[in-house]
Amino acid sequence: MLEQRWQQRADDLHEQLKSWPGVVAFHTNRVFVILANSWLWAGEGGRMAYGITAINTGVFLAWCIPRFRPFMSRNFTHNVLSGKTYTMLTSVFSWWIFQDMQNHAPSGLQEATPKWHFLAFYIAAGLFSSYVSHVAQASRLRFVFRNIAKPERAAAALKAVSAIKPSLGASGAIYATVALTAFYYPNTAVNIMFIPIAVPIAGAVSGMVALDMLGIIRGWQMFDHWAHLGGAAFGALAYWDGGRTWDWLKQMNKGKVEQRVKAVVEEMEHERSKSQDA
């Protein structure tokens, strides 16, 4: 069915482009075929990843408009001092540096989950990593409150305040996805920027985790290392869970869904019988 819809769209586009110059029509059709094949061969998980990337791209474009930046800063970055909770989710889809999105583009690796499972996993991983980062930032805030009035500790407290910054980005969710892939397919080879050879994904993830741990110890501020480690931990927990929580939730909601479907079918049949009587 999906292939037929895309074929129909291709036929419609071909008819509309007949009046265009030959070179333009040829390249337009070629681009459409490339995109259609990428979408069809991506699978359910890949298409969901494309959808998430499209949302991230839209948010990034909003960041590029200076008039929107105050709104984006208030609602698409998470700051422990803001008192907002919904930004723990919206910040997952927020990108300020497009290079970060390019580095985390879908790699075409084997998928272990269907699309809805993947979407639930991705959002849960983003929330979990945001929460880990929030707790880490809040611990710094507690240190400030306890020591700001002490002359001998005031300098350290002010330094801790300067380290509390808004966080954004999907790095935690992507870390979880990559970590889960590494557990399921540890020998899958991946390419890393500035490294000329492919390396096993298990080794790459281990190196990334070690680098983030070093960043926390050294106090590096370029990346949100706590969110990265939270995402990696969520991926490990998801592998250990093995989908049992997902199956349990589906079983819990199965009866509710069946009741809703039954109610909708009965309503449709009732409306149909009324129209026939009329």
Side-chain angles (χ1 to χ4, degrees), residues 5-142:
R5 289 202 299 268
W6 278 99
Q7 183 61 51
Q8 183 62 43
R9 293 171 184 170
D11 295 339
D12 294 341
L13 179 64
H14 181 72
E15 290 295 327
Q16 295 173 4
L17 295 177
K18 284 185 176 180
S19 59
W20 290 31
V23 175
V24 176
F26 170 77
H27 286 290
T28 303
N29 275 315
R30 185 169 179 270
V31 170
F32 180 85
V33 170
I34 293 173
L35 294 176
N37 284 333
S38 298
W39 182 263
L40 291 172
W41 286 99
E44 290 187 348
R47 287 192 284 270
M48 183 62 70
Y50 287 149
I52 293 173
T53 303
I55 295 173
N56 289 338
T57 302
V59 174
F60 167 76
L61 293 176
W63 272 107
C64 294
I65 302 174
R67 185 177 180 180
F68 290 169
R69 286 180 187 171
F71 172 83
M72 300 300 292
S73 296
R74 290 193 305 269
N75 296 284
F76 282 85
T77 63
H78 181 67
N79 191 333
V80 68
L81 300 174
S82 68
K84 299 176 181 177
T85 56
Y86 67 87
T87 53
M88 296 179 70
L89 175 61
T90 56
S91 63
V92 173
F93 296 95
S94 188
W95 302 83
W96 173 237
I97 304 176
F98 193 69
Q99 182 66 33
D100 197 23
M101 188 185 299
Q102 292 175 330
N103 291 343
H104 296 113
S107 61
L109 297 175
Q110 299 181 52
E111 300 164 7
T113 56
K115 62 177 183 179
W116 300 119
H117 193 171
F118 172 72
L119 180 61
F121 169 82
Y122 184 88
I123 293 177
L127 288 171
F128 183 83
S129 60
S130 294
Y131 181 73
V132 171
S133 174
H134 179 92
V135 171
Q137 299 275 22
S139 65
R140 292 176 179 172
L141 193 60
R142 291 180 61 186

Side-chain angles (χ1 to χ4, degrees), residues 175-204:
Y175 248 78
T177 305
V178 174
L180 182 63
T181 305
F183 278 109
Y184 275 108
Y185 312 107
N187 296 321
T188 299
V190 295
N191 295 311
I192 303 176
M193 292 181 64
F194 309 118
I195 297 180
I197 60 173
V199 297
I201 191 172

